[in-house]
Amino acid sequence: MMTNAENTPENVLWNSLPMPAFITDGAGRISDANTSAEFFLNAPLRRLVGRKLKGVLCSDAALTHALLRAEKDHGAVFLNNVVLNAGLEQKDADIQISHLSGEESHLLVLVQLRRFGDNLGRGDTVKKAARSAIGMAEMLAHEIKNPLAGVIGAAQLLAMSASPEDRELTELIVGESHRIVTLLEQVEQFGNLRPPECNPVNIHDLLDRSHKLAKVGFASHMEFRQVYDPSLPPTFVDGDQMMQVFLNLMKNAAEAAGKDGQAGGVITLKTSYDHGLSMRGPDGQDTRLPLQVEIIDNGPGIAPDIMRQMFEPFVSGRENGTGLGLALVSKILSDHGAWISVDSKEGRTSFRLSLPVAPKGES
């Protein structure tokens, strides 16, 4: 554990972090905070130590549940679009919580403040800027895909009359071109600013449909196991968008646990109900997120340096990975007011989604 009074290399690094950072004990009380946190809260460390992080930082019940989950699972939990206490200069932030290695009941909490333009959908100026930037990306993606189709076709024609050595080069051209097309298609998906069209949906129906699609495609070499809670009520989501989330996470699991198409990879689909979980949205209202969906694989786990930024675009732990699949998952869940957490270690990685229940009268 560090304190601002110690002039050690670890403490210098701790206080040089450009974002507010806290260490909490098993009861969610602050045991340390860096210089950025002191400036952000306009309070010295001595006034922060011993206080509940939730009371100091935000009134969102989801923070308490996230702290408990990170401590219980010894994993990482991510909270998007958290509304901080009204007295703070910046009100919106993303929060990452990680269990401290070697510390039985201490957690590291990092606060990434949202700057102007970070949150799509808040304010007309932000919306216009976002649409303009994403519209440009869509246009470029479309314009690049057209000539790429010609390149792929030409390379395939050349391969028909090429020598074995030259055919290897044409196959390389075709393979890399297809990879670029896939990347451009994922970029185009970010251009869909349509808000989710939410309806009451049976979450198990969505999981089963996604599972069947995965099993006849990218996850044909994987074993699937289902651990469902049959008593779950309907969720309130956009079914098509949520299937996209499930397919992206299953694809991620299949690539992690079923390397090179080898047998032995297992994907477990699990559902459960958490009565107390809720999150405060931008409108100040609490939204209950009791429906829990876990997509678990038995792969090698996620490297710690990747976990810290895995939901950011173009961050990937795989060779030739685009790094857009999980970023799209994060965007869709954020649009739904839902959230996602990750627990990863050797032999077990779990992505856990927390979703809303359909309003009474809608189901």
Side-chain angles (χ1 to χ4, degrees), residues 54 58-65 81-83 85 278-281 286:
K54 178 188 172 186
C58 77
S59 55
D60 196 334
L63 179 58
T64 299
H65 289 287
N81 299 339
V82 177
V83 181
N85 283 333
S278 65
M279 176 177 287
R280 178 157 297 181
D286 284 340

Side-chain angles (χ1 to χ4, degrees), residues 266-298:
V266 179
I267 297 175
T268 302
L269 309 178
K270 181 180 179 180
T271 62
S272 58
Y273 196 90
D274 185 339
H275 292 270
L277 187 57
S278 65
M279 176 177 287
R280 178 157 297 181
D283 58 0
Q285 300 297 314
D286 284 340
T287 301
R288 295 179 63 237
L289 302 173
L291 295 183
Q292 311 299 303
V293 178
E294 291 183 80
I295 297 179
I296 306 165
D297 68 68
N298 64 339

Side-chain angles (χ1 to χ4, degrees), residues 319-337:
E319 185 178 358
N320 295 327
T322 64
L324 284 174
L326 290 180
L328 186 60
V329 165
S330 178
K331 176 185 181 296
I332 292 174
L333 291 175
S334 179
D335 289 345
H336 278 78

Side-chain angles (χ1 to χ4, degrees), residues 104 144-145 168 178 202 204 238 243 261 271 311 335 341:
E104 183 61 29
I144 293 171
K145 282 170 64 178
E168 185 177 345
H178 278 304
N202 185 316
H204 297 136
D238 184 311
M243 274 193 65
T271 62
F311 292 108
D335 289 345
S341 61

Side-chain angles (χ1 to χ4, degrees), residues 20 23 32 37 87 89-90 165 178 180-181 190 209 223 255 269 299 306 321 360:
I23 294 177
D32 200 1
E89 182 179 350
Q90 291 114 329
E165 294 80 6
H178 278 304
I180 295 172
V181 169
F190 279 90
R209 286 165 57 195
E223 175 188 348
E255 291 174 345
L269 309 178
I306 296 296
K360 291 183 179 179

